């Protein structure tokens, strides 16, 4: 391959790559409806279910916006009745983290956290704030206090 074609192809790929990730992430963002009272948020388990091409699918996580918090909470489904609720607030310098695959990544300084909120890579040295969750047959409860 000629040098000019190589550079042209590399530039094209470099320019397109961020948009591929953006399009993929936009389709998977879902904010669940939550009601709050008594220091807890209530989310329907059915918010994890959706239909795509006539097939029922399950989300791994949903986002929840709580009025008193400046950052969303990510409710990550670990198993049938086991959920982890993590505030998407980086403990390093307070940037909003982004969910990338199965981990939270801080776009400001590159800190990474597991889907349970544990620090995987600095500069953050504290885990994400997580909240206790409980469930019943229909609902998931995030205990904020």
């Amino acid at each position: 391959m000629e040098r000019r074609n190589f550079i042209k192809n590399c530039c094209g790929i470099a320019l397109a790559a961020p948009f591929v990730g953006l399009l993929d992430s936009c389709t998977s963002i879902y904010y669940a409806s939550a009601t709050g009272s008594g220091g807890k948020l209530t989310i329907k388990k059915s918010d994890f279910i959706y239909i795509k091409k006539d097939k029922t699918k399950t989300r791994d996580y949903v986002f929840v916006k709580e009025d008193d918090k400046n950052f969303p909470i990510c409710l990550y489904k670990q198993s049938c009745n086991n959920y982890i609720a993590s505030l998407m607030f980086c403990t390093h310098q307070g940037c909003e983290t982004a969910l990338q695959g199965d981990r939270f990544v801080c776009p400001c300084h590159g800190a990474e956290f597991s889907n349970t909120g544990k620090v995987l890579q600095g500069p953050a040295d504290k885990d994400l704030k997580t909240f206790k969750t409980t469930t019943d047959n229909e609902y998931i409860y995030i205990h904020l206090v």
Side-chain angles (χ1 to χ4, degrees), residues 32-62:
S33 299
T35 56
S37 68
K40 69 180 175 183
L41 295 175
T42 304
I43 297 98
K44 292 180 182 178
K45 285 185 175 180
S46 61
D47 279 331
F48 280 86
I49 299 168
Y50 67 102
I51 297 174
K52 184 174 183 180
K53 296 183 182 179
D54 296 329
K55 292 186 180 183
T56 302
K57 302 211 176 218
T58 304
R59 293 181 176 90
D60 293 329
Y61 59 88
V62 298

Side-chain angles (χ1 to χ4, degrees), residues 130-145:
T130 58
F131 304 97
K132 178 183 174 185
T133 61
T134 56
T135 64
D136 62 22
N137 288 338
E138 290 183 57
Y139 299 100
I140 305 153
Y141 305 97
I142 301 173
H143 302 268
L144 301 174
V145 289

Side-chain angles (χ1 to χ4, degrees), residues 76 78 84 86 99 102-105 112-121 127-128 130:
Y76 207 95
Q78 298 251 287
I84 303 290
S86 299
L99 194 59
D102 65 345
R103 62 181 54 193
F104 296 98
V105 177
E112 294 185 15
F113 305 87
S114 70
N115 60 19
T116 61
K118 302 289 183 203
V119 174
L120 297 174
Q121 174 180 313
D127 297 339
L128 295 178
T130 58

Side-chain angles (χ1 to χ4, degrees), residues 48-126:
F48 280 86
I49 299 168
Y50 67 102
I51 297 174
K52 184 174 183 180
K53 296 183 182 179
D54 296 329
K55 292 186 180 183
T56 302
K57 302 211 176 218
T58 304
R59 293 181 176 90
D60 293 329
Y61 59 88
V62 298
F63 295 119
V64 180
K65 185 67 177 145
E66 205 271 321
D67 292 337
D68 294 341
K69 307 265 185 263
N70 291 331
F71 297 90
I73 296 171
C74 181
L75 185 60
Y76 207 95
K77 185 175 184 177
Q78 298 251 287
S79 63
C80 185
N81 283 314
N82 187 19
Y83 298 85
I84 303 290
S86 299
L87 185 63
M88 296 177 69
F89 174 83
C90 182
T91 56
H92 175 239
Q93 288 191 347
C95 294
E96 184 173 327
T97 61
L99 194 59
Q100 293 183 0
D102 65 345
R103 62 181 54 193
F104 296 98
V105 177
C106 179
C108 296
H109 299 103
E112 294 185 15
F113 305 87
S114 70
N115 60 19
T116 61
K118 302 289 183 203
V119 174
L120 297 174
Q121 174 180 313
D125 58 1
K126 293 180 184 172

